[in-house]
Amino acid sequence: MNLAHFRSYLQNPLLVNLCRRLYSSVNSFTSRTHTCGELDASHVGKEVTLCGWITFERCDKFIILRDKYGLTQVIFNEIENLTKKFLKSLPLESVIQVKGIVRKRPPKDFNKRMPTGEIEVEAKNVKLLNASIPRLPITSKDQDKINETTNYKYRYLSLRSPKLQENLRLRSNVLMKMREFLHNQHGFVDIETPTLFKRTPGFKQLLMIGLFDRYFQIARCYRNEGTKSDRQPEFTQVDIELSYTSARGVQNLIEQLIQYSWPVEKGEIQMPFKCLSYEEAMQSYGTDKPDLRYEMKLQDVTDELKDSGLNIASESKHDPDFIASCLVIPNGTKFIKNPERKEIRTLAESMPFLDISVKGDLSWSSAVSKHLSVEVQQRISGKLSCVPGDLLLVAAGKARHVLPFLGKTRVKCAEFLLSKGADIMRSNVFSFVWITDFPLFLLDDNGALESAHHPFTAPHADDTELVYTTPLK
């Protein structure tokens, strides 16, 4: 994020108000009297002490001093230890302490892009706290252009970016609100469990037996399993145990916890959270982690295609687990061209797959069009609520293969559409959803049973006997 972006970031009214509420506390126990984002016309004539990074220098007379809280212009006059030679000797990103008097800028020099744009500090004394090297690998001017490898190598420099500052402080604020909600408002006890010293299976349940009927912990966790893109080997979680409750009681607790700790600047979240069964989520979205900010649900077309004469779905007559499912991409023929379709076909591998363009009369433009009557094409288009220009992506095969494939395709197509300016997603909306009634087991690629969630999940009390007879049920 360059200087212009940083100024824009600082103009956020919510951020400005939040920072000004914090100023009295963030200056405590330090040598500074104010932050670089705090001063305004009400401070004119006061002596202040600022600390920060030199972000910009001009005409050997002005600098912009930066800290986490904002920007302040400092003007240097020809006084002892503040010569042009001294100012020139300070590389950008050096850390200095400035003591001076707050002056009001001439009206023609007001900078409305800065919360401190009506004032400047006339420096009386400058102390060099830490000199920077002449050229840093990452500076405030080029942060947006730095590649990921360099950012990781110089993490201490990339952490200066406003975005990372915002993320880490947001995380801290959310965790503090969670502790406040659980401990102060609902009587939960914060108890740490050992991690490296000793394995503690069942420790949380033992706490319930020991009369700690409400426990929580902001826990650092480590996965003893292979890594996946959505499963990091090390992570933080809010761990909660509660006695004398039900599944709905726990859901209510979590919903209220999230609502209470939710950042105001992120907007309101809808309560209560939507609830889908695992079966509903897989049938409609092809995943147990669906993104509900956009539509594009999967639709079953097995019955429509199995008697159509097309080979793609003929096997469904003899195999109840064989399905044909369809994803309708609104206006997809405009946005998803041959390169994108080729990428989707690559994901399908050997799975029977069709891409179909819907024409003006709801008939199809596809390799299979000649094998189906126009009436059948139009009937299926009508059932799917298609309009001219839509793109149909049809896959057939075992449900456990077809649904996840179309689920990934749904996400991929949404990315294609968004990258080309299509208005398909409700921006700045967070759509939380509960997924319930997970199966205990699923079949892996080799046809063997594997845990659907994790191996420590208990079956429903009414289904215990099925574990020994029909575990997939």
Side-chain angles (χ1 to χ4, degrees), residues 85-316:
K85 182 177 179 181
F86 173 77
L87 187 57
K88 282 185 175 181
S89 71
L90 300 178
L92 295 181
E93 299 298 321
S94 294
V95 184
I96 62 173
Q97 180 187 81
V98 175
K99 292 184 179 181
I101 306 299
V102 180
R103 304 297 188 192
K104 191 163 186 176
R105 298 191 196 185
K108 65 182 180 61
D109 293 333
F110 283 2
N111 188 340
K112 295 182 180 180
R113 295 176 299 168
M114 295 169 60
T116 61
E118 291 186 16
I119 61 92
E120 60 190 6
V121 173
E122 182 183 1
K124 299 299 183 183
N125 185 275
V126 173
K127 180 180 179 181
L128 177 62
L129 301 180
N130 195 4
S132 171
I133 61 175
R135 174 59 181 161
L136 289 173
I138 302 176
T139 70
S140 60
K141 294 182 178 181
D142 58 13
Q143 282 173 333
D144 290 345
K145 304 173 184 177
I146 302 300
N147 61 50
E148 188 172 343
T149 301
T150 303
N151 271 320
Y152 281 132
K153 183 177 181 179
Y154 301 100
R155 195 62 167 167
Y156 51 92
L157 296 177
S158 67
L159 283 172
R160 295 179 183 179
S161 74
K163 186 61 179 177
L164 289 180
Q165 286 279 319
E166 179 186 11
N167 289 348
L168 289 173
R169 292 173 191 276
L170 177 64
R171 180 183 187 276
S172 175
N173 291 337
V174 168
L175 289 178
M176 290 303 295
K177 293 282 284 184
M178 287 183 168
R179 290 184 186 277
E180 182 180 299
F181 177 85
L182 292 169
H183 183 276
N184 296 357
Q185 297 194 14
H186 293 281
F188 281 79
V189 182
D190 184 357
I191 303 177
E192 291 183 348
T193 56
T195 56
L196 298 179
F197 175 69
K198 184 180 180 181
R199 290 183 67 249
T200 55
F203 186 87
K204 296 174 291 184
Q205 289 74 24
L206 294 177
L207 289 174
M208 303 294 103
I209 299 172
L211 296 183
F212 290 97
D213 61 341
R214 292 179 169 227
Y215 143 90
F216 84 98
Q217 180 182 181
I218 309 296
R220 201 66 185 158
C221 302
Y222 315 93
R223 290 188 189 274
N224 185 20
E225 60 182 73
T227 58
K228 299 179 181 179
S229 60
D230 61 346
R231 294 199 172 195
Q232 300 303 313
E234 182 180 348
F235 62 98
T236 301
Q237 73 176 28
V238 182
D239 196 27
I240 299 175
E241 292 282 340
L242 179 63
S243 298
Y244 317 120
T245 189
S246 63
R248 185 62 249 178
V250 172
Q251 288 175 320
N252 289 337
L253 166 65
I254 299 303
E255 288 178 5
Q256 292 181 40
L257 169 65
I258 293 177
Q259 184 182 42
Y260 182 85
S261 55
W262 192 253
V264 175
E265 62 270 25
K266 298 299 181 182
E268 295 184 359
I269 53 176
Q270 185 176 353
M271 300 286 288
F273 295 170
K274 188 171 183 177
C275 190
L276 295 173
S277 70
Y278 176 87
E279 183 68 19
E280 290 171 331
M282 293 302 298
Q283 291 291 337
S284 295
Y285 303 100
T287 177
D288 58 8
K289 299 176 284 293
D291 188 339
L292 304 185
R293 293 174 298 171
Y294 57 94
E295 293 298 328
M296 290 172 30
K297 291 183 179 181
L298 278 58
Q299 300 185 61
D300 188 89
V301 289
T302 307
D303 291 340
E304 286 73 20
L305 292 181
K306 70 180 180 182
D307 296 321
S308 66
L310 294 178
N311 292 331
I312 189 172
S314 59
E315 196 172 332
S316 61

Side-chain angles (χ1 to χ4, degrees), residues 19-87:
C19 287
R20 284 181 170 155
R21 289 200 303 269
L22 290 173
Y23 288 149
S24 60
S25 60
V26 299
N27 295 320
S28 58
F29 312 112
T30 71
S31 58
R32 71 188 179 198
T33 61
H34 299 78
T35 70
C36 293
E38 184 175 357
L39 301 175
D40 57 26
S42 66
H43 297 93
V44 170
K46 293 183 178 180
E47 184 174 275
V48 298
T49 301
L50 305 178
C51 298
W53 283 260
I54 300 175
T55 300
F56 182 75
E57 181 269 330
R58 184 178 60 184
C59 302
D60 299 333
K61 189 175 182 180
F62 298 92
I63 67 167
I64 299 296
L65 197 64
R66 175 184 100 253
D67 63 12
K68 184 272 178 259
Y69 307 95
L71 304 165
T72 295
Q73 179 169 288
V74 179
I75 182 172
F76 293 83
N77 292 316
E78 291 290 339
I79 60 176
E80 185 179 357
N81 98 324
L82 296 182
T83 63
K84 290 184 178 182
K85 182 177 179 181
F86 173 77
L87 187 57

Side-chain angles (χ1 to χ4, degrees), residues 348-457:
E349 296 180 340
S350 60
M351 184 182 302
F353 173 76
L354 298 172
D355 57 280
I356 300 167
S357 299
V358 179
K359 298 195 293 187
D361 62 353
L362 299 187
S363 63
W364 299 348
S365 175
S366 170
V368 299
S369 300
K370 61 184 178 182
H371 302 294
L372 288 175
S373 67
V374 171
E375 291 74 15
V376 171
Q377 297 173 31
Q378 293 172 331
R379 184 172 69 249
I380 295 175
S381 295
K383 185 209 171 185
L384 299 174
S385 301
C386 294
V387 298
D390 285 351
L391 177 66
L392 310 184
L393 303 177
V394 182
K398 296 286 188 180
R400 68 176 185 271
H401 297 142
V402 170
L403 297 177
F405 160 69
L406 287 178
K408 294 176 183 177
T409 302
R410 175 178 180 268
V411 174
K412 180 67 69 175
C413 288
E415 293 172 353
F416 289 150
L417 294 174
L418 289 171
S419 69
K420 297 184 179 182
D423 184 19
I424 64 162
M425 185 178 290
R426 294 170 292 164
S427 59
N428 300 321
V429 171
F430 293 85
S431 298
F432 290 96
V433 57
W434 291 105
I435 306 298
T436 63
D437 300 320
F438 272 76
L440 197 60
F441 300 107
L442 294 173
L443 291 178
D444 63 17
D445 293 337
N446 298 318
L449 292 177
E450 65 176 359
S451 297
H453 198 262
H454 58 71
F456 312 109
T457 305

